[in-house]
């Protein structure tokens, strides 16, 4: 809960002055070394105007600084949408909105650069990232939703994809200050491209979500490359991923729930590209008559384009993820080396 002892109308300079006084001379001196001459002059003038600071005000300014630091860290690591979700979970909707508003004013162009990434037109963004350093690309992808990130990763040269994915997975180990500097550069370059017309976290989980939305061939190629470079990272990504063959991990009761929410035409198309083992696993969750009818539908379907099969499988994977979030379906582990073919 945000302490209300600090007036909302107080300027950022006044709050900074109060914060420095509350910290004491030694800590304040260390902070001032990192400010520009103009900033030091402004905050020093504000310090000179301060009278007494009550204990409630001191607690309030420290709490606000702490929460703003958390909020900024969330934005750096996972993007604006991720920050909003985490802040709502930690502090509630009203405090989260207040923090994001404050953060928007405090970060200025840096914050807007993250926001611009999420609204950027994919084609414009693709042109932008192709000439950037892999570390910059990793930061960009970490602040997009998984579908858009997957699309942009596919657009990169094949030899660059795994490098970007590895860097993206390791963003949470890089200092927020460094990522923030990269964000400033991104912001300036995005502004040079003009306004955007379009409407999301860093780390290993974001990489897994992104890979879930790649086609199976591209996903397999990048994962195999990562496996050679970093076996532990490869295993972690696979544990967080869910591919269609992982339906083998879902028990019969869970499968029945999945099938009850799946359109029969989608299921038929999806099963055209699966192993006999998975088909039999799914048939076992149906009545004998229902399984026989589904087998007949699959045989009668004829040749199906791979992209249509994968599209149908992705729709079912989305249903599984939704049911998993609701606690209806449990996925107990990863299938290891299995991929959709």
């Amino acid at each position: 809960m945000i302490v209300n002892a600090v007036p909302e109308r107080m300027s950022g300079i006044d709050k900074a002055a109060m914060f420095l006084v509350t910290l004491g001379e030694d800590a304040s001196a260390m902070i001032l070394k990192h400010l520009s001459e103009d900033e030091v002059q402004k905050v020093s003038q504000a310090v000179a105007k301060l009278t007494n600071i009550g204990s409630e005000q001191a607690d309030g300014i420290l709490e606000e600084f702490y929460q703003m630091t958390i909020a900024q860290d969330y934005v750096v690591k996972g993007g604006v949408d991720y920050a909003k979700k985490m802040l709502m979970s930690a502090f509630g909707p009203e405090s989260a909105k207040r923090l994001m508003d404050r953060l928007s004013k405090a970060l200025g162009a840096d914050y807007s650069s993250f926001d611009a990434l999420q609204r950027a037109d994919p084609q414009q963004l693709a042109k932008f990232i192709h000439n950037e350093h892999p570390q910059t690309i990793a930061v960009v992808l970490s602040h997009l939703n998984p579908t858009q990130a997957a699309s942009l990763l596919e657009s990169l040269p094949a030899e660059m994809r795994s490098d970007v994915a590895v860097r993206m997975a390791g963003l949470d180990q890089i200092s927020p200050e460094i990522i923030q500097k990269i964000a400033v550069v991104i912001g300036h370059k995005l502004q040079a491209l003009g306004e955007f017309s379009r409407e999301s976290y860093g780390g290993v989980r974001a990489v897994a979500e992104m890979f879930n939305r790649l086609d199976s061939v591209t996903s397999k190629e990048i994962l195999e490359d990562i496996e050679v470079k970093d076996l532990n990272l490869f295993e972690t990504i696979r544990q967080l991923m869910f591919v269609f063959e992982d339906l083998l991990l879902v028990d019969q009761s869970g499968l029945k729930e999945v099938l009850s929410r799946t359109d029969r035409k989608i299921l038929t198309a999806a099963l055209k590209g699966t192993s006999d083992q998975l088909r039999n696993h799914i048939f076992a969750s149906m009545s004998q008559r229902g399984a026989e009818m589904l087998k007949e539908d699959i045989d009668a379907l004829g040749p199906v384009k791979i992209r249509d099969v994968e599209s149908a499988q992705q729709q079912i994977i989305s249903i599984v993820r939704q049911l998993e979030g609701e606690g209806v379906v449990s996925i107990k582990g990863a299938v290891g080396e299995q991929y959709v073919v």
Side-chain angles (χ1 to χ4, degrees), residues 208-329:
E209 290 289 343
M210 179 173 63
F211 281 8
N212 277 337
R213 288 160 174 79
L214 292 173
D215 67 83
S216 59
V217 174
T218 303
S219 176
K220 184 176 181 179
E221 287 177 352
I222 300 175
L223 279 169
E224 286 176 346
D225 197 11
I226 291 176
E227 183 179 13
V228 173
K229 295 177 179 178
D230 190 333
L231 180 60
N232 290 332
L233 176 59
F234 163 79
E235 292 176 346
T236 303
I237 292 173
R238 273 296 292 130
Q239 288 171 3
L240 292 171
M241 286 180 67
F242 185 93
V243 295
F244 195 67
E245 288 287 328
D246 288 346
L247 283 173
L248 287 166
L249 300 171
V250 180
D251 59 25
Q252 296 301 314
S253 62
L255 273 179
K256 289 178 181 178
E257 288 291 339
V258 174
L259 297 181
S260 70
R261 300 196 188 188
T262 303
D263 182 274
R264 190 175 184 84
K265 291 182 179 179
I266 292 174
L267 178 62
T268 304
L271 292 180
K272 284 290 288 189
T274 60
S275 64
D276 290 338
Q277 183 184 10
L278 179 55
R279 286 192 190 185
N280 292 333
H281 183 59
I282 291 176
F283 293 152
S285 68
M286 306 172 68
S287 67
Q288 183 176 352
R289 178 56 183 156
E292 290 175 355
M293 291 176 63
L294 183 56
K295 291 177 184 177
E296 292 173 0
D297 289 344
I298 294 172
D299 292 337
L301 191 58
V304 181
K305 293 179 181 178
I306 292 177
R307 66 170 178 268
D308 293 335
V309 172
E310 292 185 341
S311 175
Q313 291 176 353
Q314 283 297 324
Q315 292 182 60
I316 296 176
I317 288 173
S318 297
I319 293 172
V320 175
R321 285 298 193 192
Q322 181 180 349
L323 289 170
E324 185 186 23
E326 295 172 3
V328 177
V329 168

Side-chain angles (χ1 to χ4, degrees), residues 127-148:
K127 293 177 183 177
F128 161 70
I129 68 171
H130 279 194
N131 296 322
E132 295 301 316
H133 187 278
Q135 191 68 50
T136 301
I137 298 174
V139 174
V140 170
L141 295 187
S142 72
H143 288 84
L144 302 175
N145 65 65
T147 300
Q148 191 178 6

